Amino acid sequence: MNIPFKVVLNNARGNIIRDIWRGTSKIAVDIDEHVRKQLESETINPRRHPGILRCKRIELPERLHRSLQKVVGDYPLKPLSDDCKKLNQFIASRHPPAESDELKDKMKKIMDEIDVLMPPSDCLMKNEDEKRKWQHRKEQLLKRRMKERTFAWKPIKYGRYEAVVYALGRGPLEYAVLTRILNEIVERDNDFKPQSYLDFGSGVGSGMWAVSNLWKDSVYEYYNVDSSRDMNELSELILKDGNENQQITLRNVFYRQFLPSLETKYDLVVSSYSLFELSNAQSRRDVILNLWKKCDGYLIIVEEGSRRGSELVNEARDFILSQEEHSLVGHVFAPCPHDFACPRLLNSEDNTPCNFQINYTPIKLGANFKKDPTARYSYAVLKKGIPSDSSRHWPRIVRPTLVRSKHSICRMCSPDGKLTEIIFTQSKHGRDAYRCARSSRWGDRLPIIIGNKIETKSE
């Protein structure tokens, strides 16, 4: 097969540039001193270093699995399974509602395009009837292009059937995501034992399932807020194992359709997959500020791992970090090792979102289910007060680790608020750092301190 000379030349040039960058630009790293001592004393293994958070496949507890299968009732399984897939696809592709300024700018741009196709001067010599028809065609063209380029946002209404679809299609997924996020708090903050929990947009209670699975003995109040009465009723039924006459085993579970106006504080506050349901940026800011004021420990914000979902998470994150009132000061606990703007989203030409991936086990509806589904999500965990975690500045791996012969490539978000790629080798970075890098995966943190770039003589 003959390959065009231009293709060969471009590929060769790309490989040369890549080899030069990798061969001459080395970044020094130091292993965290505390971790180094543990490795040297063989207290820990590099494959289990403290930056690793292993969550292979997260399954619902058997009791919840049985409850979800029970609430299906007489609904036919095939249409139910198809609707679960459609709901997941719709949520994954969703956009937030367009802001008024955005719509005005878009309309002006389209009008300029139409003026090129239908110049106003063409209308000067027409009679009144022709002018009206010409203007009508122009208006119709404007409406059609606006419709094509604007996401038709509207809030999702959940009735009884839609709530069941959400529970089956989204429940296991959201439980896995929140369990993964909460497990990092458990591992990094051993003293945190929440006594109260607030969930905004609680849905069928997947956040409550994850929280109670980890802190059932300490949490004495679960406050769930969801605008859908059917969602709240189904959530309560699931806690009763699908039996309406059975008692809930959790203590003090409350359901409301609106956020409480009281200035009650909660140790753990969650907003998961809820920001897309708010009608504009101002309402999102109002809700986030309200949740942050009610937070007395950790606030977790989770959305789909799409570009739009990542943008909404970072919008909320940056808004919280901009608060200057003493009682509202906080910092990012995860995933960012810094409080700067997200380096991924700062690049307007890069459509890659800041997201992470997890495997989960779905509810098996007959034979129509995917065996190994994965979910991508974007999130931010914010904590009230000033940072106290000494490992907070460990860089986070934000894309799959490339494990190669005698070297591993890690793409990380670093504590200086930048994206950094390091090619780890044992000869250049030491045995401990090299083995830790090879064992780490997307979403893990590396227990290292990134040094300066080392320029070699060949450069």
Side-chain angles (χ1 to χ4, degrees):
M1 180 177 67
N2 294 325
I3 301 176
F5 176 72
K6 279 186 177 181
V7 174
V8 175
L9 183 62
N10 289 336
N11 288 341
R13 184 183 295 114
N15 290 333
I16 291 171
I17 292 173
R18 192 181 303 112
D19 290 341
I20 289 174
W21 185 84
R22 290 183 175 176
T24 60
S25 299
K26 311 300 178 186
I27 299 176
V29 301
D30 286 322
I31 200 85
D32 181 270
E33 187 61 29
H34 179 65
V35 175
R36 183 193 299 279
K37 290 178 181 178
Q38 289 181 306
L39 292 170
E40 290 175 349
S41 64
E42 298 185 351
T43 306
I44 61 172
N45 187 295
R47 294 183 178 181
R48 295 289 182 269
H49 69 76
I52 289 179
L53 188 61
R54 287 284 184 248
C55 288
K56 293 183 180 178
R57 177 171 294 282
I58 298 176
E59 298 188 25
L60 282 174
E62 185 59 30
R63 180 181 175 184
L64 283 169
H65 197 279
R66 289 196 306 268
S67 296
L68 287 174
Q69 288 181 321
K70 198 166 184 178
V71 300
V72 170
D74 297 329
Y75 292 120
L77 296 182
K78 179 64 168 62
L80 197 58
S81 178
D82 291 341
D83 287 339
C84 287
K85 291 180 180 178
K86 290 177 183 177
L87 177 63
N88 276 323
Q89 291 169 355
F90 175 75
I91 291 177
S93 62
R94 207 165 186 217
H95 289 215
E99 298 295 312
S100 57
D101 290 343
E102 181 184 350
L103 290 174
K104 288 177 182 178
D105 291 341
K106 190 175 294 185
M107 184 175 289
K108 184 179 183 305
K109 184 177 180 180
I110 293 174
M111 288 178 68
D112 291 341
E113 294 174 2
I114 294 175
D115 282 343
V116 174
L117 296 174
M118 302 175 68
S121 57
D122 291 354
C123 189
L124 296 177
M125 304 302 295
K126 298 180 183 295
N127 60 43
E128 291 302 318
D129 187 49
E130 290 174 335
K131 284 181 180 180
R132 282 195 299 270
K133 291 180 180 179
W134 185 86
Q135 189 62 36
H136 179 71
R137 288 199 305 272
K138 198 169 185 179
E139 290 172 358
Q140 291 300 111
L141 182 58
L142 174 62
K143 290 179 181 179
R144 186 168 67 249
R145 292 198 175 186
M146 280 293 292
K147 186 176 181 180
E148 290 171 351
R149 301 183 193 182
T150 305
F151 182 80
W153 178 90
K154 61 180 180 180
I156 305 176
K157 301 295 183 182
Y158 291 98
R160 174 67 181 182
Y161 176 74
E162 291 78 13
V164 172
V165 171
Y166 195 97
L168 298 173
R170 302 286 301 176
L173 183 159
E174 294 182 8
Y175 172 81
V177 169
L178 288 165
T179 296
R180 162 67 176 77
I181 295 170
L182 293 169
N183 270 328
E184 183 168 355
I185 297 177
V186 171
E187 293 194 10
R188 292 174 57 187
D189 190 351
N190 295 324
D191 297 329
F192 182 64
K193 297 288 188 287
Q195 296 183 342
S196 54
Y197 167 72
L198 169 64
D199 190 342
F200 173 74
S202 54
V204 293
S206 50
M208 181 169 49
W209 306 342
V211 170
S212 62
N213 192 47
L214 293 170
W215 293 295
K216 185 176 181 179
D217 293 336
S218 67
V219 178
Y220 69 83
E221 180 185 0
Y222 300 87
Y223 200 104
N224 300 282
V225 178
D226 197 284
S227 60
S228 170
R229 183 186 297 274
D230 290 293
M231 279 281 206
N232 292 332
E233 291 177 353
L234 183 60
S235 174
E236 187 173 15
L237 182 61
I238 292 169
L239 291 184
K240 294 179 178 180
D241 297 338
N243 301 315
E244 292 184 357
N245 297 324
Q246 187 170 316
Q247 293 293 319
I248 296 176
T249 57
L250 299 180
R251 294 176 291 180
N252 300 320
V253 177
F254 302 101
Y255 293 96
R256 296 291 185 273
Q257 290 181 272
F258 303 97
L259 276 171
S261 58
L262 298 175
E263 295 297 326
T264 309
K265 298 285 188 179
Y266 298 85
D267 297 330
L268 181 60
V269 180
V270 170
S271 168
S272 62
Y273 303 96
S274 301
L275 296 181
F276 277 99
E277 298 304 311
L278 302 177
S279 59
N280 53 55
Q282 185 58 51
S283 63
R284 292 195 296 269
R285 286 192 291 268
D286 291 342
V287 166
I288 289 299
L289 183 58
N290 195 345
L291 294 177
W292 187 236
K293 287 180 177 179
K294 295 181 186 303
C295 174
D296 202 26
Y298 289 95
L299 169 62
I300 299 174
I301 302 167
V302 190
E303 291 295 339
E304 279 293 310
S306 61
R307 175 74 179 187
R308 299 293 185 177
S310 180
E311 288 173 346
L312 288 190
V313 170
N314 277 275
E315 175 189 80
R317 168 193 179 274
D318 295 343
F319 177 66
I320 289 174
L321 294 176
S322 70
Q323 302 303 309
E324 297 180 353
E325 186 180 327
H326 179 71
S327 62
L328 300 179
V329 171
H331 63 278
V332 180
F333 178 84
C336 324
H338 58 80
D339 289 341
F340 301 112
C342 176
R344 179 77 70 187
L345 296 183
L346 281 177
N347 186 351
S348 59
E349 297 179 358
D350 181 10
N351 289 321
T352 305
C354 177
N355 59 15
F356 301 89
Q357 184 168 288
I358 194 168
N359 296 327
Y360 69 98
T361 301
I363 300 295
K364 299 181 177 71
L365 297 174
N368 191 13
F369 69 94
K370 189 177 179 181
K371 291 183 178 179
D372 300 307
T374 59
R376 291 194 178 183
Y377 60 97
S378 296
Y379 77 106
V381 180
L382 296 114
K383 187 179 182 182
K384 277 285 179 73
I386 59 175
S388 58
D389 181 3
S390 60
S391 70
R392 180 187 179 234
H393 295 298
W394 291 358
R396 174 89 57 176
I397 298 176
V398 294
R399 281 296 174 264
T401 302
L402 304 178
V403 179
R404 302 292 184 259
S405 175
K406 297 184 179 180
H407 71 277
S408 295
I409 305 172
C410 293
R411 278 113 12 127
M412 300 169 288
C413 184
S414 56
D416 60 357
K418 297 178 181 178
L419 295 173
T420 304
E421 179 181 281
I422 299 181
I423 306 168
F424 287 90
T425 64
Q426 185 167 321
S427 61
K428 295 180 178 65
H429 300 102
R431 183 169 177 265
D432 291 336
Y434 172 64
R435 293 177 68 191
C436 286
R438 288 184 76 82
S439 303
S440 302
R441 297 294 179 263
W442 185 4
D444 291 337
R445 300 180 303 146
L446 269 181
I448 62 171
I449 300 169
I450 299 176
N452 296 323
K453 178 176 160 182
I454 304 171
E455 307 295 344
T456 63
K457 292 181 180 179
S458 58
E459 191 170 22

